[in-house]
Amino acid sequence: MASQKLSKSLRSYRKIHKWIGLVLALFLLLSAITGILLGWKKDIALLQPPTQKGVNQSLENYQSVEALAKASLAAVDSLGLTADNFDRIEYRPSKGIAKVIFDSGSWEVQVDATNLEILSVAKRHSDWIEHIHDGSIVSDFFKLISMNILGIGLVFLIVTGLWLWYGPKRIRNIKAKG
């Protein structure tokens, strides 16, 4: 009797496990592939431009944020980017540079922080890959919902998967005793 009840439970969990797994599979595959790419972003120049090195790492010699912004805007003038397109400025004190990152087109300008020399103007493909990875390419609300669904779904798949592995062992033990 107990083994029949367990068998019925396993069949139900197997169906649920299968359908949730199928629904989540596409999102998990997309997340896994983009996660692999993001893991390599610092090592592959196509994904993220290599960080250049400035002539001086001394912070007291750094130019102002306004001067860095103007220099970077001059470097991307032909791309039609403006100050409204600034996403962030990242300083790399150990390299003596600042990366000016634009939210439009995933462009990055690396500027020597002391003499304002433009060291690199390149696309950051890792940015749009990250937006696909976390779902924010659709919207921030979609990101919040989809990441929660994926997380809860994975926990459910782990629990049901463990039960689908352990359940048959219990049934065999019950039958052997009974």
Side-chain angles (χ1 to χ4, degrees), residues 4-17:
Q4 289 175 339
K5 194 173 184 180
L6 277 174
S7 293
K8 189 174 182 179
S9 168
L10 282 170
R11 280 191 291 279
S12 296
Y13 276 102
R14 191 170 284 116
K15 284 180 188 175
I16 294 169
H17 183 88

Side-chain angles (χ1 to χ4, degrees), residues 68 71-75 109-112 115-121:
L68 288 166
S72 67
L73 283 172
V109 177
Q110 294 185 35
V111 184
D112 185 302
N115 66 16
L116 300 178
E117 178 186 348
I118 302 301
L119 303 173
S120 169
V121 176

Side-chain angles (χ1 to χ4, degrees), residues 90-156:
E90 297 178 357
Y91 285 94
R92 298 287 192 268
S94 65
K95 302 281 188 173
I97 66 152
K99 291 183 178 187
V100 180
I101 300 167
F102 294 86
D103 63 5
S104 182
S106 299
W107 286 96
E108 167 188 287
V109 177
Q110 294 185 35
V111 184
D112 185 302
T114 57
N115 66 16
L116 300 178
E117 178 186 348
I118 302 301
L119 303 173
S120 169
V121 176
K123 274 232 186 239
R124 291 173 56 98
H125 293 288
S126 61
D127 287 356
W128 63 264
I129 292 170
E130 186 174 340
H131 291 305
I132 292 172
H133 180 73
D134 68 11
S136 62
I137 196 162
V138 175
S139 72
D140 285 337
F141 182 71
F142 180 80
K143 172 185 174 179
L144 177 68
I145 298 301
S146 66
M147 291 299 109
N148 278 286
I149 290 171
L150 278 175
I152 292 166
L154 278 173
V155 169
F156 183 80

